[in-house]
Structure formats: C-alpha cells, structure tokens
Amino acid sequence: MFTKLRQMVDERGKVMHMLRADSAAFRGFGEIYFSTVHPGAIKGWHIHKRMVLNYAVPHGCIKFVLYDDRLESATTGELQEIFLGPDNYCLVTVPPLVWNGFKGVGTETAIVANCASIPHDPDEIERKSPFDPSIPYDWTLQHR
C-alpha cells in the first residue's frame, strides 16, 4: 500500500507527516525507529512473519524493493521497485511475509523511518543476502 504524504512548507522549514492512528494504513503501534543507509549500500533482504512495516524517507533517497513469494497471493512472483525520498514522499506499508530491502541512492546518506505494528522480535524476522538467487532482483544501476 502506498500513501502520498503531506508536507507543509514555509520559510522556516517544513513538517512532514508520516502516520496517524486514523489512517487506513495504521495497524497498531509497536515501535518507531530510524535507520540510515549510505549511497550504494544495500539493506536487504528481510521478511517479517507478523510485523506490518510503515516506511517513509524524510531525507536522502532510497530504492525500495518488494518481492512477493507468498503462494496464495495475487502478486506471487512479482517485484516492485519504488524510489522514496522528499521528492516522492509517501508511506509504503509492507504486510507480513513480503520480502523487502532498500539501497541508498544519490549523493547523501538517507534517513529511513519505520513505524512498526509490533515491537522488534528477532524470532519473527528472516534475512537473506541481497544477492540471494531465490529473489530475482539485480541491485546494480540500471541504465534505462
């Protein structure tokens, strides 16, 4: 699920909304955290068994990629690539059991915010190398 987010800009700076309790994307509150990713660095792949992720990128830019290998899903086998940052400021809601990862793009370190539906539990997450062949994605720069 993708939700365009509001930014209120004036001469002092801006306010960047992320998630409200009355939003259609809100599935409960577990924790919010921020991570950074340097240009060219990859953080992925990972999947959560129960957690709903809500990502937004208020600073910098990332290439965010989702891969659905759920057999019962209408999108089984599909990849989705989204560039997130202040120029495309939106909330990406990732349901449980969807593989995801991201790569820092551009020239500056990106800040990635996640408002997760449950507190972090190391027993409900699974990780793979960004280059694991079971996920058919190439993280290199694509000249399109």
Side-chain angles (χ1 to χ4, degrees):
M1 169 188 280
F2 305 96
T3 307
K4 192 71 177 164
L5 295 174
R6 286 186 63 199
Q7 299 185 70
M8 286 78 62
V9 181
D10 66 23
E11 65 274 7
R12 301 166 297 164
K14 64 181 163 180
V15 172
M16 302 171 82
H17 282 199
M18 183 175 166
L19 186 62
R20 295 169 46 115
D22 59 357
S23 166
F26 184 73
R27 298 286 182 265
F29 177 76
E31 68 177 348
I32 188 166
Y33 66 86
F34 302 89
S35 64
T36 62
V37 61
H38 299 303
I42 301 168
K43 292 189 175 185
W45 297 101
H46 74 277
I47 192 170
H48 288 276
K49 297 172 189 167
R50 298 185 323 272
M51 183 184 289
V52 176
L53 308 170
N54 291 287
Y55 284 120
V57 179
H59 179 80
C61 185
I62 67 168
K63 176 170 55 172
F64 187 73
V65 184
L66 300 126
Y67 177 66
D68 188 358
D69 70 351
R70 300 172 295 172
L71 296 177
E72 74 289 349
S73 173
T75 57
T76 299
E78 290 186 18
L79 285 159
Q80 191 165 25
E81 182 182 82
I82 310 118
F83 290 86
L84 301 173
D87 292 341
N88 185 32
Y89 189 61
C90 58
L91 183 73
V92 178
T93 302
V94 182
L97 302 175
V98 173
W99 289 98
N100 64 94
F102 51 88
K103 179 179 181 179
V105 297
T107 59
E108 57 189 355
T109 298
I111 298 173
V112 181
N114 179 21
C115 183
S117 63
I118 62 173
H120 176 75
D121 175 357
D123 294 329
E124 71 89 45
I125 189 171
E126 185 180 331
R127 298 179 188 278
K128 290 185 181 187
S129 161
F131 309 106
D132 190 300
S134 67
I135 298 178
Y137 187 74
D138 181 355
W139 289 98
T140 60
L141 177 64
Q142 303 295 313
H143 297 278
R144 300 176 186 165

